[in-house]
């Protein structure tokens, strides 16, 4: 009976990954905690899928550590362990795991021609109404700055802005540097708030602070 090589066994029975053992960069912890506790509002009884890559391992490790602090069940996948990059498709093992989760995070760097793979991922997110944090091209600087924002205050401000936008017929923008423009708003627009507080109704980018019109 032929003996399977160890590498073949690994490829056949691909399992979720782990990106750290003991060492977590303490400067990444506040931003990671903000993502898990505030933006995604992860609860102990929920399941999480974390998708990352080799270039973003440190950030993924901080996120993974915060998930473990909450006590939630999770799977973590390093893209390069499951498919050659740039990705032609999102690996099936990741999509299957994602479909079982209530919360998910994509913390990885983009590569050319990978939009289709990410679209496959977000299609599963939309279908199962997963609270998904999309941390595309996240880096250390963003973790130390944008991800340390007070997202509850950002959400409060966004709520006030979107409330006014829903009633406005015209908007004018002026800056001290000379920018000046005016736009008319259609009453048919349905404004969508993406302030960083993520719900099952719409996944969002992290960090985020904006609101968008949706036709």
């Amino acid at each position: 009976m032929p003996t399977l090589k160890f590498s073949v066994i690994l490829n056949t029975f691909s399992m979720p990954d782990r990106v750290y053992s003991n060492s977590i960069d303490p400067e990444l912890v506040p931003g990671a905690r903000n993502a898990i506790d505030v933006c995604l509002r992860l609860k102990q009884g929920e399941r999480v899928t974390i998708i990352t890559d080799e270039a973003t391992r440190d950030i993924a490790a901080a996120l993974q550590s915060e998930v473990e602090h909450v006590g939630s069940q999770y799977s973590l996948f390093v893209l390069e362990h499951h498919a050659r990059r740039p990705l032609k498709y999102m690996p099936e093992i990741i999509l299957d795991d994602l479909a079982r989760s209530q919360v998910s995070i994509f913390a990885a760097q983009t590569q050319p021609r990978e939009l289709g793979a990410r679209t496959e991922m977000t299609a599963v997110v939309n279908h199962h109404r997963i609270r998904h944090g999309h941390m595309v091209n996240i880096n250390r600087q963003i973790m130390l700055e944008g991800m340390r924002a007070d997202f509850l205050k950002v959400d409060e401000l966004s709520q006030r802005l979107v409330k006014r936008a829903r009633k406005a017929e015209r908007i004018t923008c002026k800056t001290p540097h000379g920018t000046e423009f005016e736009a008319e708003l259609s009453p048919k627009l349905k404004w969508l708030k993406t302030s960083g507080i993520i719900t099952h109704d719409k996944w969002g980018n992290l960090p985020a602070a904006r609101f968008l019109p949706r036709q």
Side-chain angles (χ1 to χ4, degrees):
M1 181 176 177
T3 302
L4 289 175
K5 292 183 179 180
F6 185 60
S7 61
V8 174
I9 294 175
L10 284 179
N11 288 333
T12 304
F13 302 102
S14 187
M15 297 294 291
D17 308 305
R18 185 177 178 86
V19 291
Y20 83 94
S21 53
N22 296 313
S23 179
I24 301 293
D25 184 341
E27 291 193 333
L28 298 177
V29 170
R33 186 166 297 152
N34 225 2
I36 299 302
D37 292 347
V38 180
C39 297
L40 291 165
R41 293 168 294 109
L42 179 65
K43 299 176 180 63
Q44 187 174 6
E46 295 181 313
R47 190 178 188 283
V48 190
T49 300
I50 304 172
I51 305 165
T52 189
D53 61 3
E54 291 288 355
T56 321
R57 289 176 69 95
D58 289 350
I59 294 171
L63 292 165
Q64 176 182 331
S65 178
E66 292 307 310
V67 169
E68 291 179 350
H69 281 309
V70 173
S72 297
Q73 181 186 0
Y74 71 91
S75 295
L76 186 144
F77 299 93
V78 179
L79 291 172
E80 288 87 350
H81 294 184
H82 302 278
R84 187 185 300 275
R85 299 192 73 183
L87 298 174
K88 294 182 180 178
Y89 56 88
M90 188 61 65
E92 199 69 29
I93 186 176
I94 297 178
L95 296 179
D96 289 345
D97 191 271
L98 190 61
R100 298 163 50 208
S101 293
Q102 292 77 51
V103 177
S104 61
I105 303 168
F106 182 86
Q109 307 306 302
T110 60
Q111 292 194 16
R113 302 182 301 280
E114 288 192 337
L115 179 59
R118 294 197 300 277
T119 300
E120 290 177 349
M121 175 187 67
T122 54
V124 175
V125 167
N126 290 334
H127 179 72
H128 293 278
R129 304 185 74 194
I130 299 168
R131 299 199 310 277
H132 176 75
H134 207 54
M135 304 177 80
V136 173
N137 292 330
I138 191 74
N139 58 33
R140 182 181 180 81
Q141 181 179 358
I142 295 172
M143 287 295 291
L144 298 185
E145 297 176 5
M147 278 311 303
R148 291 192 180 190
D150 185 336
F151 285 101
L152 294 178
K153 288 186 177 179
V154 172
D155 187 66
E156 182 183 352
L157 175 60
S158 299
Q159 289 276 21
R160 297 205 306 267
L161 287 173
V162 76
K163 185 177 180 180
R164 294 182 66 179
R166 285 170 178 155
K167 298 178 180 178
E169 297 179 355
R170 187 181 302 272
I171 186 170
T172 302
C173 178
K174 296 181 180 181
T175 72
H177 299 288
T179 299
E180 183 174 345
F181 70 86
E182 190 174 271
E184 292 184 0
L185 304 182
S186 169
K188 296 181 180 179
L189 293 175
K190 295 181 180 179
W191 291 91
L192 179 67
K193 174 178 64 66
T194 58
S195 62
I197 305 299
I198 296 172
T199 71
H200 57 75
D201 292 323
K202 180 69 177 75
W203 59 267
N205 294 308
L206 289 179
R210 58 182 178 165
F211 58 99
L212 304 170
R214 181 171 60 182
Q215 297 286 353

